[in-house]
Structures are given as structure tokens and as C-alpha cells.
Coordinates of all heavy atoms in Angstrom, one line a residue:
M1 N 118.8 138.8 80.7 CA 117.9 138.7 79.5 C 116.5 138.2 80.0 O 116.4 137.2 80.7 CB 118.5 137.7 78.5 CG 117.6 137.4 77.4 SD 118.4 136.1 76.3 CE 117.0 135.7 75.4
S2 N 115.5 139.0 79.7 CA 114.2 138.7 80.2 C 113.2 138.6 79.0 O 113.4 139.4 78.1 CB 113.8 139.9 81.1 OG 112.4 139.8 81.5
L3 N 112.3 137.7 79.1 CA 111.4 137.5 78.0 C 110.0 138.1 78.3 O 109.6 138.0 79.5 CB 111.2 136.0 77.6 CG 112.5 135.2 77.3 CD1 112.1 133.8 77.0 CD2 113.3 135.9 76.2
N4 N 109.4 138.7 77.3 CA 108.0 139.2 77.6 C 107.0 138.0 77.4 O 107.4 136.9 77.1 CB 107.6 140.3 76.7 CG 107.6 140.0 75.2 OD1 107.2 138.9 74.8 ND2 108.1 140.9 74.4
A5 N 105.8 138.2 77.7 CA 104.8 137.1 77.7 C 104.7 136.4 76.3 O 104.6 135.2 76.2 CB 103.4 137.7 78.1
E6 N 104.7 137.2 75.3 CA 104.7 136.6 73.9 C 105.9 135.8 73.6 O 105.8 134.7 73.1 CB 104.6 137.7 72.8 CG 104.5 137.2 71.4 CD 104.6 138.3 70.4 OE1 104.1 139.4 70.6 OE2 105.1 138.0 69.3
E7 N 107.1 136.2 74.0 CA 108.3 135.5 73.8 C 108.3 134.2 74.6 O 108.7 133.2 74.1 CB 109.5 136.3 74.1 CG 109.7 137.5 73.2 CD 110.7 138.5 73.6 OE1 110.9 138.7 74.9 OE2 111.4 139.1 72.8
R8 N 107.8 134.3 75.9 CA 107.7 133.1 76.7 C 106.8 132.0 76.1 O 107.1 130.9 76.0 CB 107.3 133.4 78.1 CG 108.4 134.1 78.9 CD 108.0 134.2 80.4 NE 106.7 134.9 80.6 CZ 106.6 136.3 80.8 NH1 107.7 137.0 80.7 NH2 105.5 136.8 81.0
A9 N 105.6 132.5 75.6 CA 104.7 131.6 75.0 C 105.2 131.0 73.7 O 105.1 129.7 73.5 CB 103.4 132.3 74.6
R10 N 105.9 131.7 72.9 CA 106.5 131.2 71.6 C 107.6 130.2 72.0 O 107.7 129.2 71.3 CB 107.1 132.4 70.8 CG 107.3 132.1 69.4 CD 107.6 133.3 68.5 NE 107.4 134.6 69.2 CZ 108.3 135.6 69.1 NH1 109.4 135.5 68.4 NH2 108.0 136.7 69.7
T11 N 108.4 130.5 72.9 CA 109.5 129.6 73.3 C 109.0 128.3 73.9 O 109.5 127.3 73.6 CB 110.5 130.3 74.3 OG1 111.0 131.5 73.7 CG2 111.6 129.4 74.8
A12 N 107.9 128.4 74.7 CA 107.3 127.2 75.3 C 106.8 126.3 74.1 O 107.0 125.1 74.2 CB 106.2 127.6 76.2
A13 N 106.1 126.9 73.1 CA 105.6 126.2 72.0 C 106.7 125.5 71.2 O 106.6 124.4 70.8 CB 104.8 127.1 71.1
E14 N 107.8 126.2 71.0 CA 109.0 125.7 70.3 C 109.6 124.5 71.1 O 110.0 123.5 70.5 CB 110.0 126.8 70.0 CG 109.5 127.8 69.0 CD 110.2 129.1 69.0 OE1 111.1 129.4 69.8 OE2 109.8 130.0 68.2
L15 N 109.8 124.7 72.4 CA 110.3 123.6 73.2 C 109.4 122.3 73.1 O 109.9 121.2 72.9 CB 110.4 124.0 74.7 CG 111.5 125.0 75.0 CD1 111.3 125.6 76.4 CD2 112.9 124.4 74.9
R16 N 108.1 122.5 73.2 CA 107.2 121.4 73.1 C 107.2 120.7 71.8 O 107.1 119.5 71.6 CB 105.8 121.8 73.5 CG 105.6 122.0 75.0 CD 104.2 122.3 75.4 NE 104.1 122.2 76.9 CZ 104.2 123.3 77.7 NH1 104.6 124.4 77.2 NH2 104.1 123.1 79.0
A17 N 107.3 121.6 70.7 CA 107.4 121.0 69.4 C 108.6 120.2 69.2 O 108.6 119.1 68.6 CB 107.4 122.1 68.3
N18 N 109.7 120.6 69.7 CA 111.0 119.9 69.6 C 110.9 118.6 70.5 O 111.4 117.6 70.1 CB 112.2 120.7 69.9 CG 112.6 121.5 68.7 OD1 112.6 121.0 67.6 ND2 112.9 122.8 68.9
L19 N 110.3 118.7 71.7 CA 110.1 117.5 72.5 C 109.4 116.5 71.7 O 109.8 115.3 71.7 CB 109.4 117.9 73.8 CG 109.1 116.7 74.7 CD1 110.4 115.9 75.1 CD2 108.3 117.1 75.9
E20 N 108.3 116.8 71.0 CA 107.5 115.9 70.3 C 108.4 115.2 69.2 O 108.3 114.0 68.9 CB 106.3 116.6 69.6 CG 105.4 115.6 69.0 CD 104.1 116.3 68.6 OE1 103.5 117.1 69.4 OE2 103.6 116.0 67.5
L21 N 109.3 116.0 68.5 CA 110.1 115.5 67.4 C 111.2 114.5 67.9 O 111.7 113.7 67.2 CB 110.8 116.6 66.7 CG 110.0 117.5 65.8 CD1 110.8 118.7 65.3 CD2 109.4 116.7 64.7
T22 N 111.5 114.6 69.2 CA 112.5 113.7 69.8 C 112.1 112.2 69.7 O 113.0 111.3 69.6 CB 112.9 114.0 71.2 OG1 111.8 113.7 72.1 CG2 113.3 115.5 71.4
G23 N 110.8 111.9 69.9 CA 110.4 110.6 70.0 C 110.6 110.0 71.4 O 110.4 108.8 71.7
V24 N 111.0 110.9 72.3 CA 111.3 110.5 73.7 C 110.2 111.1 74.6 O 109.8 112.2 74.4 CB 112.7 111.1 74.1 CG1 113.0 110.9 75.6 CG2 113.8 110.5 73.3
D25 N 109.8 110.4 75.6 CA 108.8 111.0 76.5 C 109.4 112.0 77.4 O 110.6 112.1 77.6 CB 108.0 109.9 77.3 CG 108.7 109.3 78.5 OD1 109.7 109.9 79.0 OD2 108.1 108.4 79.0
A26 N 108.6 113.0 77.8 CA 109.0 114.1 78.6 C 109.8 113.7 79.8 O 110.8 114.4 80.2 CB 107.8 115.0 78.9
E27 N 109.3 112.7 80.5 CA 109.9 112.3 81.8 C 111.4 111.9 81.6 O 112.3 112.2 82.3 CB 109.1 111.3 82.5 CG 107.8 111.7 83.1 CD 106.7 112.0 82.0 OE1 106.7 111.4 81.0 OE2 105.9 112.9 82.3
R28 N 111.6 111.1 80.5 CA 112.9 110.7 80.2 C 113.8 111.8 79.8 O 115.0 111.9 80.3 CB 112.9 109.6 79.1 CG 114.3 109.2 78.7 CD 114.3 108.1 77.7 NE 115.6 108.0 77.0 CZ 115.8 107.6 75.8 NH1 114.8 107.0 75.1 NH2 117.0 107.6 75.3
A29 N 113.4 112.7 79.0 CA 114.2 113.9 78.6 C 114.5 114.7 79.8 O 115.6 115.2 80.0 CB 113.4 114.7 77.6
G30 N 113.5 114.9 80.7 CA 113.8 115.7 81.9 C 114.7 115.0 82.9 O 115.6 115.6 83.5
A31 N 114.6 113.6 83.0 CA 115.4 112.9 83.9 C 116.9 112.9 83.4 O 117.8 112.9 84.2 CB 115.0 111.4 84.0
E32 N 117.1 112.9 82.1 CA 118.5 113.0 81.6 C 119.1 114.3 82.0 O 120.4 114.4 82.0 CB 118.4 112.9 80.1 CG 118.1 111.5 79.6 CD 117.9 111.3 78.1 OE1 117.9 112.3 77.4 OE2 117.9 110.1 77.7
L33 N 118.3 115.3 82.3 CA 118.9 116.6 82.8 C 118.8 116.8 84.3 O 119.2 117.8 84.8 CB 118.1 117.7 82.1 CG 118.2 117.8 80.6 CD1 117.3 118.9 80.0 CD2 119.6 118.0 80.1
G34 N 118.3 115.8 85.0 CA 118.2 115.8 86.4 C 116.9 116.7 86.9 O 116.9 117.1 88.0
F35 N 116.0 116.9 86.0 CA 114.8 117.6 86.3 C 113.7 116.6 86.9 O 113.5 115.6 86.3 CB 114.1 118.3 85.1 CG 115.0 119.4 84.4 CD1 114.6 119.8 83.2 CD2 116.0 119.9 85.1 CE1 115.4 120.8 82.6 CE2 116.8 120.9 84.5 CZ 116.4 121.4 83.2
G36 N 113.1 117.0 87.9 CA 111.9 116.3 88.4 C 110.7 116.7 87.6 O 110.7 117.6 86.8
G37 N 109.6 115.9 87.8 CA 108.4 116.2 87.0 C 107.9 117.6 87.1 O 107.6 118.3 86.1
G38 N 107.8 118.2 88.3 CA 107.4 119.6 88.4 C 108.3 120.6 87.8 O 107.9 121.5 87.2
Q39 N 109.6 120.3 87.9 CA 110.6 121.2 87.4 C 110.6 121.2 85.8 O 110.6 122.2 85.2 CB 112.0 120.8 87.8 CG 113.1 121.8 87.3 CD 114.5 121.4 87.8 OE1 114.7 120.4 88.3 NE2 115.4 122.3 87.5
L40 N 110.4 120.0 85.3 CA 110.3 119.9 83.8 C 109.1 120.6 83.3 O 109.3 121.4 82.3 CB 110.3 118.4 83.4 CG 110.1 118.2 81.9 CD1 111.3 118.8 81.1 CD2 109.9 116.8 81.5
A41 N 108.0 120.5 83.9 CA 106.8 121.2 83.5 C 107.0 122.7 83.6 O 106.6 123.5 82.6 CB 105.6 120.8 84.3
Q42 N 107.7 123.2 84.6 CA 108.0 124.6 84.7 C 108.9 125.1 83.6 O 108.7 126.1 83.0 CB 108.6 124.9 86.1 CG 108.8 126.4 86.4 CD 109.3 126.6 87.8 OE1 110.1 125.8 88.3 NE2 108.9 127.7 88.4
V43 N 109.9 124.3 83.3 CA 110.9 124.7 82.3 C 110.2 124.7 80.9 O 110.4 125.6 80.1 CB 112.2 123.8 82.3 CG1 113.1 124.1 81.2 CG2 112.9 124.0 83.7
L44 N 109.4 123.7 80.7 CA 108.7 123.6 79.4 C 107.8 124.8 79.2 O 107.5 125.3 78.1 CB 107.9 122.3 79.3 CG 108.7 121.1 78.8 CD1 107.8 119.8 79.0 CD2 109.1 121.2 77.4
G45 N 107.2 125.3 80.3 CA 106.3 126.4 80.3 C 107.0 127.7 80.2 O 106.4 128.8 80.0
V46 N 108.3 127.7 80.5 CA 109.2 128.9 80.5 C 109.0 129.9 81.6 O 109.9 130.3 82.3 CB 109.3 129.6 79.1 CG1 110.2 130.8 79.1 CG2 109.6 128.6 78.0
A47 N 107.7 130.3 81.8 CA 107.4 131.3 82.8 C 107.8 130.8 84.2 O 107.4 129.7 84.6 CB 105.9 131.7 82.8
G48 N 108.6 131.6 84.9 CA 109.0 131.2 86.3 C 110.1 130.2 86.3 O 110.6 129.9 87.4
A49 N 110.6 129.8 85.2 CA 111.7 128.8 85.2 C 113.1 129.5 85.2 O 113.2 130.7 84.8 CB 111.7 128.0 83.9
D50 N 114.1 128.8 85.7 CA 115.4 129.3 85.7 C 115.9 129.4 84.3 O 115.8 128.4 83.6 CB 116.3 128.4 86.5 CG 117.7 128.8 86.7 OD1 118.3 129.5 85.8 OD2 118.4 128.4 87.7
P51 N 116.3 130.6 83.8 CA 116.8 130.7 82.4 C 117.9 129.7 82.0 O 117.9 129.2 80.9 CB 117.3 132.2 82.3 CG 116.7 132.9 83.5 CD 116.5 131.9 84.6
E52 N 118.8 129.4 83.0 CA 119.8 128.4 82.7 C 119.2 127.1 82.3 O 119.6 126.4 81.4 CB 120.7 128.2 83.9 CG 121.6 129.4 84.2 CD 122.5 129.2 85.4 OE1 123.2 128.1 85.4 OE2 122.4 130.0 86.3
D53 N 118.1 126.7 83.0 CA 117.4 125.4 82.8 C 116.7 125.4 81.4 O 116.7 124.4 80.7 CB 116.4 125.1 83.9 CG 117.0 124.8 85.2 OD1 118.2 124.4 85.2 OD2 116.3 124.9 86.2
V54 N 116.2 126.6 81.0 CA 115.5 126.7 79.7 C 116.5 126.5 78.6 O 116.3 125.7 77.7 CB 114.8 128.1 79.6 CG1 114.2 128.2 78.2 CG2 113.7 128.2 80.7
W55 N 117.7 127.1 78.7 CA 118.7 126.9 77.7 C 119.2 125.5 77.7 O 119.4 124.9 76.6 CB 119.9 127.9 78.0 CG 119.6 129.3 77.4 CD1 119.2 130.4 78.2 CD2 119.8 129.7 76.1 NE1 119.0 131.4 77.3 CE2 119.4 131.1 76.1 CE3 120.1 129.1 74.9 CZ2 119.4 131.8 74.9 CZ3 120.2 129.8 73.7 CH2 119.8 131.2 73.7
L56 N 119.4 124.9 78.9 CA 119.8 123.5 79.0 C 118.8 122.6 78.3 O 119.2 121.7 77.4 CB 120.0 123.1 80.4 CG 120.5 121.7 80.7 CD1 121.9 121.6 80.2 CD2 120.4 121.4 82.2
L57 N 117.5 122.8 78.5 CA 116.5 121.9 77.9 C 116.5 122.2 76.4 O 116.4 121.2 75.6 CB 115.1 122.2 78.5 CG 114.0 121.4 77.9 CD1 114.2 119.9 78.1 CD2 112.7 121.8 78.5
R58 N 116.6 123.4 76.0 CA 116.6 123.8 74.5 C 117.7 123.0 73.8 O 117.5 122.3 72.8 CB 116.9 125.3 74.4 CG 117.1 125.7 72.9 CD 118.2 126.8 72.9 NE 118.4 127.4 71.6 CZ 119.1 126.9 70.7 NH1 119.8 125.8 70.8 NH2 119.2 127.6 69.5
D59 N 118.9 123.0 74.4 CA 120.1 122.4 73.7 C 119.9 120.9 73.7 O 120.2 120.2 72.8 CB 121.4 122.8 74.4 CG 121.7 124.3 74.2 OD1 121.1 124.9 73.3 OD2 122.5 124.8 75.0
H60 N 119.4 120.3 74.9 CA 119.2 118.9 75.0 C 118.2 118.4 73.9 O 118.4 117.4 73.3 CB 118.8 118.5 76.4 CG 118.8 117.1 76.7 ND1 119.8 116.2 76.4 CD2 117.8 116.2 77.2 CE1 119.6 115.0 76.7 NE2 118.3 115.0 77.2
L61 N 117.1 119.1 73.8 CA 116.1 118.7 72.9 C 116.6 118.8 71.4 O 116.3 117.9 70.6 CB 114.8 119.6 73.0 CG 114.0 119.4 74.3 CD1 112.9 120.4 74.4 CD2 113.5 118.0 74.5
E62 N 117.4 119.8 71.1 CA 118.0 119.9 69.8 C 118.8 118.6 69.5 O 118.8 118.1 68.4 CB 118.8 121.1 69.6 CG 118.0 122.3 69.2 CD 118.8 123.4 68.5 OE1 120.0 123.4 68.7 OE2 118.1 124.2 67.9
D63 N 119.6 118.3 70.5 CA 120.5 117.1 70.3 C 119.6 115.8 70.1 O 119.9 115.0 69.3 CB 121.4 116.9 71.6 CG 122.5 117.9 71.7 OD1 122.8 118.6 70.7 OD2 123.0 118.0 72.8
L64 N 118.5 115.7 70.9 CA 117.7 114.5 70.8 C 117.0 114.5 69.5 O 116.8 113.4 68.9 CB 116.7 114.5 72.0 CG 117.2 114.2 73.4 CD1 116.1 114.4 74.4 CD2 117.8 112.9 73.5
V65 N 116.5 115.6 69.0 CA 115.9 115.7 67.7 C 116.8 115.2 66.6 O 116.5 114.4 65.7 CB 115.3 117.1 67.4 CG1 114.8 117.2 65.9 CG2 114.2 117.4 68.3
R66 N 118.0 115.7 66.6 CA 119.0 115.4 65.6 C 119.4 113.9 65.7 O 119.6 113.2 64.7 CB 120.2 116.3 65.7 CG 120.0 117.7 65.2 CD 121.2 118.5 65.0 NE 120.9 119.7 64.4 CZ 120.7 120.9 65.1 NH1 120.9 120.9 66.4 NH2 120.4 122.0 64.5
A67 N 119.5 113.4 67.0 CA 119.8 111.9 67.2 C 118.7 111.1 66.6 O 118.9 109.9 66.2 CB 120.0 111.6 68.6
A68 N 117.5 111.6 66.5 CA 116.3 110.9 65.9 C 116.3 111.1 64.4 O 115.4 110.5 63.7 CB 115.0 111.4 66.5
G69 N 117.3 111.8 63.8 CA 117.4 111.9 62.4 C 116.4 113.0 61.9 O 116.1 113.0 60.7
R70 N 116.0 113.9 62.7 CA 115.1 115.0 62.3 C 115.8 116.3 62.4 O 116.8 116.5 63.0 CB 113.8 114.9 63.1 CG 113.1 113.6 62.9 CD 111.9 113.6 63.8 NE 111.1 112.4 63.5 CZ 110.4 111.8 64.3 NH1 110.2 112.2 65.6 NH2 109.7 110.7 64.0
E71 N 115.1 117.3 61.9 CA 115.6 118.7 62.0 C 114.8 119.4 63.0 O 113.5 119.4 63.0 CB 115.4 119.4 60.6 CG 116.1 120.8 60.5 CD 117.6 120.7 60.7 OE1 118.2 119.7 60.4 OE2 118.1 121.7 61.2
P72 N 115.4 120.0 64.0 CA 114.7 120.7 65.1 C 113.9 121.9 64.6 O 114.3 122.6 63.6 CB 115.8 121.2 66.0 CG 117.0 120.5 65.7 CD 116.9 120.1 64.2
V73 N 112.8 122.2 65.2 CA 112.0 123.4 65.0 C 113.0 124.6 65.4 O 113.5 124.5 66.5 CB 110.7 123.4 65.8 CG1 110.1 124.8 65.8 CG2 109.8 122.3 65.4
P74 N 113.1 125.6 64.6 CA 114.0 126.7 65.0 C 113.4 127.5 66.1 O 112.2 127.6 66.3 CB 114.2 127.5 63.7 CG 113.1 127.1 62.8 CD 112.6 125.7 63.3
Y75 N 114.3 128.1 66.9 CA 113.9 128.9 68.0 C 114.0 130.4 67.5 O 114.9 130.8 66.9 CB 114.9 128.7 69.2 CG 114.6 127.4 69.9 CD1 115.4 126.3 69.5 CD2 113.6 127.2 70.8 CE1 115.2 125.0 70.1 CE2 113.4 125.9 71.4 CZ 114.2 124.9 71.0 OH 114.0 123.7 71.6
T76 N 112.9 131.1 67.8 CA 112.8 132.5 67.4 C 113.4 133.4 68.4 O 113.7 134.6 68.1 CB 111.4 132.9 67.1 OG1 110.6 132.6 68.2 CG2 110.9 132.1 65.9
V77 N 113.4 133.0 69.7 CA 113.9 133.8 70.8 C 115.3 133.3 71.3 O 116.2 134.1 71.5 CB 112.9 133.9 71.9 CG1 113.5 134.8 73.1 CG2 111.6 134.5 71.5
L78 N 115.3 132.0 71.5 CA 116.6 131.4 72.0 C 117.5 131.1 70.9 O 117.9 130.0 70.6 CB 116.3 130.1 72.8 CG 115.3 130.3 74.0 CD1 115.2 129.0 74.7 CD2 115.9 131.4 75.0
T79 N 118.0 132.2 70.2 CA 118.9 132.1 69.1 C 120.3 132.1 69.5 O 120.6 132.3 70.7 CB 118.6 133.3 68.1 OG1 119.0 134.5 68.8 CG2 117.2 133.4 67.6
E80 N 121.2 131.8 68.6 CA 122.6 131.9 69.0 C 123.1 133.3 69.4 O 123.9 133.5 70.3 CB 123.5 131.3 67.8 CG 123.4 129.8 67.6 CD 123.6 129.0 68.9 OE1 124.6 129.3 69.6 OE2 122.8 128.1 69.2
E81 N 122.5 134.3 68.8 CA 122.7 135.7 69.2 C 122.3 135.9 70.6 O 122.9 136.5 71.4 CB 122.0 136.6 68.2 CG 122.4 138.1 68.5 CD 121.7 139.0 67.5 OE1 122.2 139.1 66.3 OE2 120.7 139.6 67.8
A82 N 121.1 135.4 70.9 CA 120.6 135.5 72.3 C 121.4 134.7 73.3 O 121.6 135.1 74.4 CB 119.1 135.0 72.3
R83 N 122.0 133.6 72.8 CA 122.9 132.8 73.7 C 124.1 133.7 74.1 O 124.4 133.7 75.3 CB 123.4 131.6 73.0 CG 124.3 130.7 73.8 CD 125.0 129.6 73.0 NE 124.0 128.8 72.4 CZ 123.4 127.8 73.0 NH1 123.6 127.5 74.2 NH2 122.5 127.0 72.3
A84 N 124.7 134.4 73.2 CA 125.8 135.3 73.5 C 125.4 136.3 74.6 O 126.2 136.6 75.5 CB 126.4 135.9 72.3
A85 N 124.2 136.9 74.4 CA 123.8 137.9 75.4 C 123.5 137.2 76.8 O 123.9 137.7 77.8 CB 122.5 138.6 74.9
A86 N 122.9 136.0 76.8 CA 122.6 135.3 78.0 C 123.8 134.9 78.7 O 123.9 135.0 80.0 CB 121.8 134.0 77.7
E87 N 124.9 134.5 78.0 CA 126.1 134.2 78.7 C 126.8 135.3 79.4 O 127.6 135.1 80.3 CB 127.1 133.6 77.7 CG 126.7 132.2 77.2 CD 127.5 131.5 76.2 OE1 128.0 132.3 75.3 OE2 127.7 130.3 76.2
R88 N 126.4 136.5 79.0 CA 127.0 137.7 79.8 C 126.3 137.9 81.1 O 126.8 138.5 82.0 CB 126.8 139.0 78.9 CG 127.8 139.0 77.8 CD 127.8 140.4 77.1 NE 126.6 140.7 76.4 CZ 126.4 140.5 75.1 NH1 127.4 140.0 74.4 NH2 125.3 140.8 74.5
W89 N 125.1 137.3 81.2 CA 124.3 137.4 82.5 C 124.4 136.2 83.4 O 124.4 136.4 84.6 CB 122.8 137.5 82.1 CG 122.4 138.9 81.5 CD1 122.4 139.2 80.2 CD2 122.2 140.1 82.2 NE1 122.0 140.5 80.1 CE2 121.9 141.1 81.3 CE3 122.1 140.4 83.6 CZ2 121.6 142.4 81.6 CZ3 121.8 141.7 84.0 CH2 121.5 142.7 83.0
F90 N 124.6 135.0 82.9 CA 124.7 133.8 83.7 C 125.4 132.8 82.9 O 125.4 132.7 81.7 CB 123.4 133.3 84.2 CG 122.3 133.2 83.1 CD1 122.2 132.1 82.3 CD2 121.4 134.3 82.9 CE1 121.3 132.0 81.3 CE2 120.4 134.2 81.9 CZ 120.4 133.1 81.1
P91 N 126.1 131.8 83.7 CA 126.8 130.7 83.0 C 125.8 129.7 82.4 O 124.9 129.3 83.1 CB 127.7 130.1 84.1 CG 126.9 130.4 85.3 CD 126.2 131.7 85.1
L92 N 125.9 129.3 81.2 CA 125.1 128.3 80.6 C 125.8 126.9 80.8 O 127.0 126.8 80.6 CB 124.8 128.6 79.1 CG 124.1 129.9 78.8 CD1 123.9 130.0 77.3 CD2 122.7 129.9 79.5
R93 N 124.9 125.9 81.2 CA 125.5 124.6 81.3 C 125.3 123.8 80.0 O 124.5 124.1 79.2 CB 124.7 123.9 82.4 CG 124.8 124.5 83.8 CD 124.1 123.8 84.9 NE 122.8 123.3 84.6 CZ 121.6 124.0 84.9 NH1 121.7 125.2 85.4 NH2 120.4 123.4 84.7
K94 N 126.2 122.9 79.8 CA 126.2 122.0 78.6 C 125.2 120.9 78.8 O 125.2 120.2 79.8 CB 127.6 121.5 78.3 CG 128.6 122.5 78.1 CD 128.4 123.2 76.7 CE 129.5 124.2 76.4 NZ 129.2 125.1 75.4
A95 N 124.4 120.6 77.8 CA 123.5 119.5 77.8 C 124.3 118.2 77.6 O 125.3 118.2 76.9 CB 122.5 119.7 76.7
P96 N 123.8 117.1 78.2 CA 124.5 115.8 78.0 C 124.4 115.5 76.5 O 123.4 115.7 75.9 CB 123.7 114.9 78.9 CG 122.5 115.5 79.2 CD 122.6 117.0 79.0
R97 N 125.4 115.0 75.9 CA 125.5 114.6 74.5 C 125.1 113.2 74.4 O 125.4 112.3 75.1 CB 126.9 114.8 73.9 CG 127.3 116.2 74.0 CD 126.4 117.1 73.2 NE 127.1 117.8 72.2 CZ 126.5 118.5 71.3 NH1 125.2 118.7 71.4 NH2 127.2 119.1 70.3
R98 N 124.3 112.9 73.3 CA 123.9 111.5 72.9 C 124.9 111.0 71.9 O 125.3 111.7 71.0 CB 122.5 111.6 72.4 CG 121.5 111.8 73.4 CD 120.2 111.4 72.9 NE 119.6 110.8 74.1 CZ 118.9 109.7 74.1 NH1 118.6 109.2 73.0 NH2 118.4 109.2 75.2
A99 N 125.2 109.8 72.0 CA 126.1 109.1 71.0 C 125.4 108.7 69.8 O 124.2 108.6 69.8 CB 126.8 107.9 71.7

């Protein structure tokens, strides 16, 4: 599954919007996934990032937003239908769950 430039930009904006809704700083969110600063920036920007990492961050941010009592910004490209297609191409990792 490959994204075009418009889809990458839209996905990056949605990831950043959800990061903002978490109330958690970017470094902490990235550290919870084992991402270093440079890797987190790359994944947030989507372009050039490992697709598995993008899905992992997407899921983690959704969990963090819900843990903050908010509703996540919906994803227009990284939908559940797209998840099924992505899983045919590569294994998706599970995001750590918050209690």
C-alpha cells in the first residue's frame, strides 16, 4: 500500500491533530513506542517512514486521545478498510495500551 503526496500530507495532518488532542508531548508519545526524536519526526511526516511505524503511531495516538476523554480526528486514508489491505502487505504491530 503506497500513498500519494496528497494522502501523505493529509495523513500527516491527521496524525499531528491527534497528537495535539492527546495532551501528551511528542517526545513522550514517541518514547512510548520506542521512537527516537528523528524517527518520530519522520513518522509524523509520513513521507519516507516505515508504513508499520505510521500505523503503530496512528493506533497509539487514538488510544491516547481516548484516554484523555476526547474523540480522535478521523483518518481519511488510514481507515479500517485500509488496515485490512495493509495487513496483506506487512505485519502490523500493536500499540501499547493505556490503562
Side-chain angles (χ1 to χ4, degrees):
M1 176 180 163
S2 170
L3 305 181
N4 65 37
E6 179 187 332
E7 291 169 330
R8 286 190 303 271
R10 198 170 349 136
T11 299
E14 292 161 356
L15 289 168
R16 285 188 169 88
N18 278 318
L19 176 60
E20 189 171 318
L21 287 174
T22 67
V24 173
D25 80 13
E27 289 73 29
R28 178 174 159 205
E32 290 175 349
L33 298 174
F35 295 166
Q39 183 182 7
L40 176 62
Q42 186 177 33
V43 176
L44 277 170
V46 180
D50 182 330
E52 291 178 54
D53 291 341
V54 175
W55 279 98
L56 183 65
L57 180 61
R58 173 220 188 272
D59 294 344
H60 189 51
L61 292 177
E62 277 203 340
D63 289 344
L64 291 174
V65 169
R66 286 192 175 98
R70 297 180 174 148
E71 189 62 29
V73 169
Y75 290 94
T76 56
V77 177
L78 300 183
T79 63
E80 290 308 313
E81 184 177 286
R83 180 189 305 279
E87 287 176 327
R88 288 191 290 266
W89 287 95
F90 48 83
L92 297 179
R93 299 185 313 268
K94 299 286 184 199
R97 297 304 239 175
R98 290 198 139 219

